Amino acid sequence: MKLLQQLTIPADTLAQRFAGAKVLVVGDVMLDRYWFGDTHRISPEAPVPVAKIEKIDQRAGGAAHVARNIACSGGQASLLSVTGDDEAADALQTLMSDCGVNAHLIRDTSIATTIKLRVVARNQQLIRLDFEDEPTEAALHDKLQHYRDLLQGFDVVVLSDYGKGGLAHVRDIILSARDFCKPVLVDPKGSDYMKYESASLITPNRAELKQVIGEWKSEAELEEKAQRLRDKLELDGLLLTRSEEGMTLFRQDNIETQGTRAQEVFDVSGAGDTVIASMALSLAAGLNHSQAMHIANAAAGVVVAKLGTAVCTQQELFNA
């Protein structure tokens, strides 16, 4: 194993490459809503804190957050997903438009758009409330057809799987991209990774990878198990995000590790979205896997120092 070398591409050159890179993000979207307030007392009705809400915020989550990260880093991002036909979908469409993402939202009148509502007091989550439905087969079929129509106009495809049903046709999506020689990056979910076979790269975290390959007692055992999985799935690479241990890139010819770049970890929610967004944008801009990992690690170090599903701007990335 070797330590990843520093990136030496000038910032202005990198910015130009990012500006020409086109990434299509497909997967599960959600609206992250935050109710911020303070709590000073316990409810007389039950032993729970009473939160006095003082501020309400909403942000794009899931695949929408991946697309937002790409756009904020200076790339050309488009989003394809299924939502309900409701106020939350309207909010997502507006949020995507505001940050420069071209959103193709297939409206399914039979479901509600996924919402994650968090109540936050003194920078601590008190509770999270989830509202979600799985899309209908008809809406998923429309999405797959729309995907095939869009595909040729992009350099890289990202599949953001949150297990909400939006990637039921993941095998068709990957094979269609491979037919046009488009790299496919996957943020995986669940224990069945065979559905991601023939993708270019997957980006599990430690907990997600352990679901598939089991525990490991040493670095050598991790390397052996991760490489076996990469070979089995016929992947070009497997990028393992390791929290405070940084990240490791497993490829057929080598294994590279870079330590964490975060100075202070404040909130890891959404960091995986930033990692795959940065990897996809970098590869679409013509960088190699090692260079892309360096950029992804720097971007992740920026966002974990922020609260909630935050993004890393291009200037923050270059400063990092």
PDB file of all heavy atoms in Angstrom, residues 147-155 173-183:
ATOM      1  N   TYR A 147     -33.836   8.156 -19.090  1.00  0.00           N
ATOM      2  CA  TYR A 147     -32.392   7.959 -18.874  1.00  0.00           C
ATOM      3  C   TYR A 147     -31.703   7.578 -20.181  1.00  0.00           C
ATOM      4  O   TYR A 147     -30.644   8.126 -20.529  1.00  0.00           O
ATOM      5  CB  TYR A 147     -32.195   6.877 -17.815  1.00  0.00           C
ATOM      6  CG  TYR A 147     -30.797   6.322 -17.721  1.00  0.00           C
ATOM      7  CD1 TYR A 147     -29.778   7.039 -17.090  1.00  0.00           C
ATOM      8  CD2 TYR A 147     -30.488   5.061 -18.248  1.00  0.00           C
ATOM      9  CE1 TYR A 147     -28.489   6.517 -17.000  1.00  0.00           C
ATOM     10  CE2 TYR A 147     -29.209   4.534 -18.161  1.00  0.00           C
ATOM     11  CZ  TYR A 147     -28.217   5.269 -17.539  1.00  0.00           C
ATOM     12  OH  TYR A 147     -26.945   4.751 -17.451  1.00  0.00           O
ATOM     13  N   ARG A 148     -32.275   6.639 -20.900  1.00  0.00           N
ATOM     14  CA  ARG A 148     -31.674   6.211 -22.168  1.00  0.00           C
ATOM     15  C   ARG A 148     -31.634   7.348 -23.182  1.00  0.00           C
ATOM     16  O   ARG A 148     -30.708   7.433 -23.998  1.00  0.00           O
ATOM     17  CB  ARG A 148     -32.451   5.019 -22.720  1.00  0.00           C
ATOM     18  CG  ARG A 148     -32.231   3.725 -21.916  1.00  0.00           C
ATOM     19  CD  ARG A 148     -33.185   2.631 -22.309  1.00  0.00           C
ATOM     20  NE  ARG A 148     -32.849   1.366 -21.647  1.00  0.00           N
ATOM     21  CZ  ARG A 148     -33.712   0.379 -21.444  1.00  0.00           C
ATOM     22  NH1 ARG A 148     -34.974   0.513 -21.863  1.00  0.00           N
ATOM     23  NH2 ARG A 148     -33.337  -0.728 -20.836  1.00  0.00           N
ATOM     24  N   ASP A 149     -32.621   8.221 -23.135  1.00  0.00           N
ATOM     25  CA  ASP A 149     -32.641   9.369 -24.037  1.00  0.00           C
ATOM     26  C   ASP A 149     -31.558  10.393 -23.680  1.00  0.00           C
ATOM     27  O   ASP A 149     -31.004  11.057 -24.559  1.00  0.00           O
ATOM     28  CB  ASP A 149     -34.011  10.056 -24.001  1.00  0.00           C
ATOM     29  CG  ASP A 149     -35.128   9.182 -24.571  1.00  0.00           C
ATOM     30  OD1 ASP A 149     -34.808   8.257 -25.342  1.00  0.00           O
ATOM     31  OD2 ASP A 149     -36.296   9.427 -24.227  1.00  0.00           O
ATOM     32  N   LEU A 150     -31.245  10.519 -22.383  1.00  0.00           N
ATOM     33  CA  LEU A 150     -30.283  11.514 -21.917  1.00  0.00           C
ATOM     34  C   LEU A 150     -28.831  11.047 -21.988  1.00  0.00           C
ATOM     35  O   LEU A 150     -27.914  11.856 -22.125  1.00  0.00           O
ATOM     36  CB  LEU A 150     -30.589  11.887 -20.460  1.00  0.00           C
ATOM     37  CG  LEU A 150     -31.863  12.657 -20.153  1.00  0.00           C
ATOM     38  CD1 LEU A 150     -32.088  12.706 -18.638  1.00  0.00           C
ATOM     39  CD2 LEU A 150     -31.778  14.068 -20.718  1.00  0.00           C
ATOM     40  N   LEU A 151     -28.616   9.761 -21.874  1.00  0.00           N
ATOM     41  CA  LEU A 151     -27.314   9.176 -21.556  1.00  0.00           C
ATOM     42  C   LEU A 151     -26.157   9.663 -22.414  1.00  0.00           C
ATOM     43  O   LEU A 151     -25.078   9.988 -21.892  1.00  0.00           O
ATOM     44  CB  LEU A 151     -27.431   7.649 -21.638  1.00  0.00           C
ATOM     45  CG  LEU A 151     -26.189   6.835 -21.279  1.00  0.00           C
ATOM     46  CD1 LEU A 151     -25.710   7.167 -19.878  1.00  0.00           C
ATOM     47  CD2 LEU A 151     -26.508   5.340 -21.400  1.00  0.00           C
ATOM     48  N   GLN A 152     -26.332   9.734 -23.708  1.00  0.00           N
ATOM     49  CA  GLN A 152     -25.208  10.029 -24.593  1.00  0.00           C
ATOM     50  C   GLN A 152     -24.643  11.430 -24.390  1.00  0.00           C
ATOM     51  O   GLN A 152     -23.509  11.702 -24.801  1.00  0.00           O
ATOM     52  CB  GLN A 152     -25.634   9.843 -26.051  1.00  0.00           C
ATOM     53  CG  GLN A 152     -25.940   8.405 -26.415  1.00  0.00           C
ATOM     54  CD  GLN A 152     -26.203   8.235 -27.901  1.00  0.00           C
ATOM     55  OE1 GLN A 152     -25.334   8.471 -28.737  1.00  0.00           O
ATOM     56  NE2 GLN A 152     -27.425   7.839 -28.248  1.00  0.00           N
ATOM     57  N   GLY A 153     -25.384  12.314 -23.732  1.00  0.00           N
ATOM     58  CA  GLY A 153     -24.912  13.681 -23.551  1.00  0.00           C
ATOM     59  C   GLY A 153     -24.024  13.895 -22.340  1.00  0.00           C
ATOM     60  O   GLY A 153     -23.670  15.044 -22.027  1.00  0.00           O
ATOM     61  N   PHE A 154     -23.612  12.807 -21.645  1.00  0.00           N
ATOM     62  CA  PHE A 154     -22.852  12.958 -20.405  1.00  0.00           C
ATOM     63  C   PHE A 154     -21.549  12.166 -20.435  1.00  0.00           C
ATOM     64  O   PHE A 154     -21.397  11.197 -21.175  1.00  0.00           O
ATOM     65  CB  PHE A 154     -23.719  12.530 -19.216  1.00  0.00           C
ATOM     66  CG  PHE A 154     -24.893  13.436 -18.998  1.00  0.00           C
ATOM     67  CD1 PHE A 154     -26.104  13.202 -19.653  1.00  0.00           C
ATOM     68  CD2 PHE A 154     -24.789  14.547 -18.188  1.00  0.00           C
ATOM     69  CE1 PHE A 154     -27.178  14.047 -19.480  1.00  0.00           C
ATOM     70  CE2 PHE A 154     -25.861  15.409 -18.016  1.00  0.00           C
ATOM     71  CZ  PHE A 154     -27.059  15.163 -18.667  1.00  0.00           C
ATOM     72  N   ASP A 155     -20.609  12.619 -19.602  1.00  0.00           N
ATOM     73  CA  ASP A 155     -19.297  11.970 -19.509  1.00  0.00           C
ATOM     74  C   ASP A 155     -19.295  10.837 -18.496  1.00  0.00           C
ATOM     75  O   ASP A 155     -18.614   9.828 -18.685  1.00  0.00           O
ATOM     76  CB  ASP A 155     -18.226  12.998 -19.112  1.00  0.00           C
ATOM     77  CG  ASP A 155     -18.161  14.170 -20.074  1.00  0.00           C
ATOM     78  OD1 ASP A 155     -18.022  13.930 -21.291  1.00  0.00           O
ATOM     79  OD2 ASP A 155     -18.256  15.333 -19.617  1.00  0.00           O
ATOM     80  N   ILE A 173     -29.710   0.172 -16.065  1.00  0.00           N
ATOM     81  CA  ILE A 173     -29.052   1.476 -16.080  1.00  0.00           C
ATOM     82  C   ILE A 173     -27.552   1.316 -16.296  1.00  0.00           C
ATOM     83  O   ILE A 173     -26.932   2.026 -17.110  1.00  0.00           O
ATOM     84  CB  ILE A 173     -29.343   2.223 -14.764  1.00  0.00           C
ATOM     85  CG1 ILE A 173     -30.824   2.616 -14.699  1.00  0.00           C
ATOM     86  CG2 ILE A 173     -28.457   3.456 -14.630  1.00  0.00           C
ATOM     87  CD1 ILE A 173     -31.258   3.174 -13.359  1.00  0.00           C
ATOM     88  N   ILE A 174     -26.933   0.382 -15.582  1.00  0.00           N
ATOM     89  CA  ILE A 174     -25.491   0.160 -15.710  1.00  0.00           C
ATOM     90  C   ILE A 174     -25.142  -0.367 -17.095  1.00  0.00           C
ATOM     91  O   ILE A 174     -24.205   0.120 -17.751  1.00  0.00           O
ATOM     92  CB  ILE A 174     -24.995  -0.813 -14.626  1.00  0.00           C
ATOM     93  CG1 ILE A 174     -25.078  -0.149 -13.249  1.00  0.00           C
ATOM     94  CG2 ILE A 174     -23.554  -1.252 -14.904  1.00  0.00           C
ATOM     95  CD1 ILE A 174     -24.762  -1.089 -12.092  1.00  0.00           C
ATOM     96  N   LEU A 175     -25.885  -1.363 -17.579  1.00  0.00           N
ATOM     97  CA  LEU A 175     -25.573  -1.964 -18.870  1.00  0.00           C
ATOM     98  C   LEU A 175     -25.769  -0.969 -20.017  1.00  0.00           C
ATOM     99  O   LEU A 175     -24.990  -0.973 -20.980  1.00  0.00           O
ATOM    100  CB  LEU A 175     -26.430  -3.211 -19.082  1.00  0.00           C
ATOM    101  CG  LEU A 175     -26.120  -4.380 -18.141  1.00  0.00           C
ATOM    102  CD1 LEU A 175     -27.092  -5.532 -18.375  1.00  0.00           C
ATOM    103  CD2 LEU A 175     -24.681  -4.857 -18.307  1.00  0.00           C
ATOM    104  N   SER A 176     -26.771  -0.124 -19.921  1.00  0.00           N
ATOM    105  CA  SER A 176     -26.984   0.899 -20.955  1.00  0.00           C
ATOM    106  C   SER A 176     -25.802   1.862 -21.005  1.00  0.00           C
ATOM    107  O   SER A 176     -25.342   2.248 -22.091  1.00  0.00           O
ATOM    108  CB  SER A 176     -28.278   1.668 -20.689  1.00  0.00           C
ATOM    109  OG  SER A 176     -29.417   0.841 -20.827  1.00  0.00           O
ATOM    110  N   ALA A 177     -25.303   2.257 -19.830  1.00  0.00           N
ATOM    111  CA  ALA A 177     -24.149   3.151 -19.778  1.00  0.00           C
ATOM    112  C   ALA A 177     -22.911   2.480 -20.350  1.00  0.00           C
ATOM    113  O   ALA A 177     -22.125   3.101 -21.076  1.00  0.00           O
ATOM    114  CB  ALA A 177     -23.897   3.590 -18.339  1.00  0.00           C
ATOM    115  N   ARG A 178     -22.721   1.213 -20.024  1.00  0.00           N
ATOM    116  CA  ARG A 178     -21.576   0.474 -20.548  1.00  0.00           C
ATOM    117  C   ARG A 178     -21.640   0.352 -22.071  1.00  0.00           C
ATOM    118  O   ARG A 178     -20.616   0.366 -22.752  1.00  0.00           O
ATOM    119  CB  ARG A 178     -21.509  -0.905 -19.913  1.00  0.00           C
ATOM    120  CG  ARG A 178     -21.071  -0.919 -18.461  1.00  0.00           C
ATOM    121  CD  ARG A 178     -19.778  -0.172 -18.240  1.00  0.00           C
ATOM    122  NE  ARG A 178     -18.848  -0.945 -17.439  1.00  0.00           N
ATOM    123  CZ  ARG A 178     -17.667  -0.481 -17.012  1.00  0.00           C
ATOM    124  NH1 ARG A 178     -17.284   0.734 -17.328  1.00  0.00           N
ATOM    125  NH2 ARG A 178     -16.853  -1.232 -16.305  1.00  0.00           N
ATOM    126  N   ASP A 179     -22.854   0.227 -22.635  1.00  0.00           N
ATOM    127  CA  ASP A 179     -23.011   0.159 -24.090  1.00  0.00           C
ATOM    128  C   ASP A 179     -22.444   1.402 -24.771  1.00  0.00           C
ATOM    129  O   ASP A 179     -21.961   1.333 -25.908  1.00  0.00           O
ATOM    130  CB  ASP A 179     -24.489   0.002 -24.461  1.00  0.00           C
ATOM    131  CG  ASP A 179     -25.022  -1.395 -24.174  1.00  0.00           C
ATOM    132  OD1 ASP A 179     -24.202  -2.315 -24.002  1.00  0.00           O
ATOM    133  OD2 ASP A 179     -26.253  -1.552 -24.115  1.00  0.00           O
ATOM    134  N   PHE A 180     -22.508   2.545 -24.073  1.00  0.00           N
ATOM    135  CA  PHE A 180     -21.996   3.800 -24.623  1.00  0.00           C
ATOM    136  C   PHE A 180     -20.646   4.188 -24.013  1.00  0.00           C
ATOM    137  O   PHE A 180     -20.206   5.323 -24.146  1.00  0.00           O
ATOM    138  CB  PHE A 180     -23.013   4.926 -24.400  1.00  0.00           C
ATOM    139  CG  PHE A 180     -24.260   4.791 -25.227  1.00  0.00           C
ATOM    140  CD1 PHE A 180     -25.437   4.318 -24.671  1.00  0.00           C
ATOM    141  CD2 PHE A 180     -24.254   5.132 -26.575  1.00  0.00           C
ATOM    142  CE1 PHE A 180     -26.590   4.194 -25.426  1.00  0.00           C
ATOM    143  CE2 PHE A 180     -25.406   5.007 -27.343  1.00  0.00           C
ATOM    144  CZ  PHE A 180     -26.569   4.531 -26.772  1.00  0.00           C
ATOM    145  N   CYS A 181     -20.010   3.224 -23.337  1.00  0.00           N
ATOM    146  CA  CYS A 181     -18.676   3.440 -22.726  1.00  0.00           C
ATOM    147  C   CYS A 181     -18.679   4.601 -21.734  1.00  0.00           C
ATOM    148  O   CYS A 181     -17.702   5.355 -21.632  1.00  0.00           O
ATOM    149  CB  CYS A 181     -17.620   3.670 -23.804  1.00  0.00           C
ATOM    150  SG  CYS A 181     -17.437   2.278 -24.937  1.00  0.00           S
ATOM    151  N   LYS A 182     -19.770   4.742 -20.984  1.00  0.00           N
ATOM    152  CA  LYS A 182     -19.863   5.783 -19.966  1.00  0.00           C
ATOM    153  C   LYS A 182     -19.523   5.182 -18.595  1.00  0.00           C
ATOM    154  O   LYS A 182     -20.154   4.202 -18.180  1.00  0.00           O
ATOM    155  CB  LYS A 182     -21.279   6.371 -19.908  1.00  0.00           C
ATOM    156  CG  LYS A 182     -21.818   6.875 -21.243  1.00  0.00           C
ATOM    157  CD  LYS A 182     -21.090   8.101 -21.731  1.00  0.00           C
ATOM    158  CE  LYS A 182     -21.738   8.627 -23.020  1.00  0.00           C
ATOM    159  NZ  LYS A 182     -21.055   9.828 -23.539  1.00  0.00           N
ATOM    160  N   PRO A 183     -18.541   5.732 -17.890  1.00  0.00           N
ATOM    161  CA  PRO A 183     -18.240   5.232 -16.539  1.00  0.00           C
ATOM    162  C   PRO A 183     -19.442   5.407 -15.613  1.00  0.00           C
ATOM    163  O   PRO A 183     -20.150   6.417 -15.687  1.00  0.00           O
ATOM    164  CB  PRO A 183     -17.069   6.114 -16.084  1.00  0.00           C
ATOM    165  CG  PRO A 183     -16.482   6.667 -17.346  1.00  0.00           C
ATOM    166  CD  PRO A 183     -17.631   6.817 -18.292  1.00  0.00           C
TER     167      PRO A 183
END
